[in-house]
Amino acid sequence: MPKAKDDPRQRLLDTAARLFYSEGIHTVPVDRLVTEAGVTRSTFYRHFPAKEDLVVAYLRAIDATLRASVADVASRDNAAQGLDDLLELIGSTICADGFRGCHFINAAAEYPDASDEVRKAIAEHRAWFQETATAVADRAGHPDPAHVGRSLVILHDGALSGAQLDDPESVRRTFLRASRAIIRQTTQCP
C-alpha cells in the first residue's frame, strides 16, 4: 500500500480532513486544497470530479475510522460494559484536543438539502450509529433497545454540539449521566 505522501488521493483526503474540520467546507477552495496537498488541479479532478465528491469521500473516511473505533468497544463480550465503553468513547471525543464538533453535524450545516450526496453520506453514518447503539443495548439485555439507540443519537448530537459552546468536561459529564440514566430505564416514556 502506498504511503500517504506518495498517494495523491490520500494527500487530498488528509488535507481536506484537516482544512474542512478546522475551517469549514465551503470556505476552503479547490485551489487551496491542491496547493496544500501538493498536487495539480488535473490530479484533483482525476480523483474527485467535483469538490462535493471529495467532501463525500472525506465523510466516508471519517465514518470508517469511527466505525472501527466503535467496533472495538461495541463488540465486547460483556455487552453492558461495551455500551458503557461506547459512552466513554463519545465522552473522550468531546474533550479531545482540537475538538471542533461533529464532522457530520458541521457538514450538514453547510449542506442543508437532504437530497444532496453529502447529506446522504451523513444520513448513512447516523443510521449506522443508531443501529449500532440499538444492537449493543439489545445484547446488553435492555428492555427497549430501540429507545436507547434513538436517545443516544440525540444525546450524542447534543453533546458534540454543546461541547463547542460550553465547557467540554461539563458537557462530557452531563452526557454520561444522561445516557446512563436512559440505559438504566426499564420502560419507555409515552
Side-chain angles (χ1 to χ4, degrees):
M1 175 175 281
K3 295 178 183 174
K5 71 177 190 170
D6 298 330
D7 180 5
R9 184 180 192 282
Q10 189 59 52
R11 286 198 319 266
L12 283 163
L13 278 169
D14 293 345
T15 301
R18 178 175 50 81
L19 295 175
F20 290 168
Y21 190 65
S22 66
E23 298 178 24
I25 296 167
H26 289 317
T27 62
V28 179
V30 170
D31 286 341
R32 183 161 174 217
L33 288 164
V34 299
T35 299
E36 293 201 24
V39 300
T40 64
R41 285 181 71 82
S42 64
T43 298
F44 175 92
Y45 289 113
R46 184 174 348 112
H47 293 287
F48 304 104
K51 183 179 174 185
E52 184 176 273
D53 296 309
L54 175 60
V55 175
V56 170
Y58 147 72
L59 291 173
R60 292 201 191 288
I62 298 297
D63 175 71
T65 299
L66 292 173
R67 286 179 190 236
S69 296
V70 169
D72 286 344
V73 298
S75 63
R76 302 255 200 276
D77 289 337
N78 179 336
Q81 183 62 52
L83 190 55
D84 197 63
D85 290 347
L86 175 60
L87 301 180
E88 289 289 345
L89 178 65
I90 294 165
S92 67
T93 299
I94 291 167
C95 293
D97 287 339
F99 178 75
R100 290 199 65 248
C102 173
H103 298 271
F104 299 92
I105 293 171
N106 294 348
E110 295 194 52
Y111 289 87
D113 182 355
S115 67
D116 191 286
E117 290 303 313
V118 170
R119 286 298 292 266
K120 289 176 185 176
I122 294 166
E124 289 169 13
H125 171 76
R126 291 174 56 75
W128 160 80
F129 180 73
Q130 183 173 329
E131 290 165 8
T132 300
T134 300
V136 176
D138 187 46
R139 281 188 40 237
H142 195 279
D144 193 355
H147 175 69
V148 171
R150 289 187 308 272
S151 297
L152 288 183
V153 168
I154 290 169
L155 290 170
H156 171 266
D157 289 350
L160 292 178
S161 297
Q164 290 184 276
L165 304 171
D166 297 319
D167 173 51
E169 180 55 34
S170 176
V171 171
R172 183 190 72 79
R173 286 191 309 268
T174 302
F175 165 76
L176 291 173
R177 182 176 177 186
S179 298
R180 288 174 176 146
I182 287 170
I183 290 167
R184 284 191 302 270
Q185 285 181 340
T186 56
T187 59
Q188 179 178 358
C189 296

